Amino acid sequence: MSNKSDETSSEKKHTFTEHKLHHDADPSKERIYMDYNATTPLEPEVIQAVSEALRDAWGNPSSNYVAGAMAKDIINQSRQNVARMVGGKAEDIVFTSGGTEANNLVLHTALEHFRKTCRAAGEDHLNGSSGLPHIITSNVEHDSIKLAAERLQMDGKADVTFVSVSKVTARVDVEDVMAAVHPNTCLISVMLANNETGVIMPVQEICQKVKMLNKQQERLRILLHTDAAQALGKIHVDVQELGVDFLTIVGHKFYGPRIGALFVNGPGTETPLYPMLFGGGQERNFRPGTENTPMIAGLGKAAELVTSNLPHYQSHMENVKEYLEEQLQSVFKDKIHFNSHYPDSAVLPNTSNVSILGPALQGWRVLSRCRRLLASVGAACHTASGNRPSHVLLSCGVASAVAANALRLSVGRGTSKEDVDAVVEDLRDTVQLLELKN
């Protein structure tokens, strides 16, 4: 897309695609999707890229015949597109099955990095401190970091510090992270933006502080990772500006397929990377297995669209979200509480976490009775936790009774102000009905 008319055309295609995904038999009651932080539909151009790869590039990318060579070319081009989206080099991108694998690969690498560094030093300790490798993360991370780190701790393979976010800003404090560092710290992993509140974390500032610390002689290098799943496609993300060693990329959060990638700043040279899988040598042995060419093609196309259109995407989502919050405030007045508003904290342009206050207005109850709105009460990966308030919101200082009523409304590239009007009306009618029954 290179001009305004192209962007307008794309918006129309988005609206058509998304409404086709969610509709009732009665067109007047078309469902409206506002759960883009959970997943996004595929862009039409992405569907085309996947379809063409399925049809034409079916060969093994390691082979020399035409279909295989075509697959290899597609993978190489996609690697360049993904790298360009995050400001890295093509050789810095390792394709994975998704964000969960990428995050686990980073944790695995951190432990191997600690072990091999200790062995190279000829001892089982560094800088006068023996013991387990130490990982620092926040207490509001995605489960693929949180649960994996907890399991390492439970199995006696690592010590983990979960730094609490501030109940005032909903961000981790840089000084709290640095205070948690000790001689065995081998990894700091802090998400770039939270998936429930949309709050953007001070990753760049953490990296700057740690890099100064890493310059000290005889010190174990602390590796730096950020899970950028929620940030990509919504805000500017540049690995050089952030200063990270690793960055997790998740396609289905920016209108691509359910595949992922890991940015590694010079994998195996500048930054250690140790495989969890062993096989045929693909992805330079860092992640072997015959490449999933069609999904990689789709990821590359989705990344290309982000690189070309991010200012437009970001501006549109910001405008629609602001309108959404204005309308909610206008209709519900002092009954609305914004769980994503914190002093001095930047928030994703598409994310609004709100609670409509009232004893019968728990988030799950409201959503189950909405006739048009499709949204969630929090992270999709927490659906098995039942109707308990989100631990993320509680950690951010939201009162339990307020957190229980939370709705995470996340808008997309094709969400319109007309969609907002319909959703707010739907919420108003639902709230009135629930209050009458109560």
Side-chain angles (χ1 to χ4, degrees), residues 56 124 136 161 175 180 203 208 248 250 258 284 287 293 297 304 312-313 316 326 355 435:
D56 302 327
D124 61 359
I136 298 171
T161 299
E175 296 309 318
V203 172
Q208 288 171 347
T248 295
V250 182
R258 289 194 174 101
R284 291 153 289 164
R287 202 279 183 180
T293 306
E304 180 186 349
H312 168 67
Y313 295 157
H316 173 78
E326 288 169 1
S355 293
E435 289 179 328

Side-chain angles (χ1 to χ4, degrees), residues 19 22 30-34 372-375 418-419 422-423:
H19 285 178
H22 307 285
E30 203 166 57
R31 303 305 295 266
I32 296 168
Y33 186 70
M34 284 195 180
R372 305 194 63 182
L373 172 64
L374 295 169
E418 290 75 20
D419 291 332
V423 161

Side-chain angles (χ1 to χ4, degrees), residues 169-171 192-194 196-201 340 342 345-348:
T169 66
R171 295 181 299 166
L192 191 51
N194 186 263
E196 294 192 38
T197 63
V199 168
I200 298 169
M201 300 291 177
S340 48
Y342 297 91
S345 291
V347 179
L348 291 173

Side-chain angles (χ1 to χ4, degrees), residues 148-168:
E150 287 177 347
R151 176 51 64 110
L152 291 173
Q153 191 169 40
M154 187 186 312
D155 292 346
K157 295 179 179 178
D159 288 329
V160 183
T161 299
F162 293 94
V163 177
S164 297
V165 295
S166 164
K167 294 185 184 299
V168 175

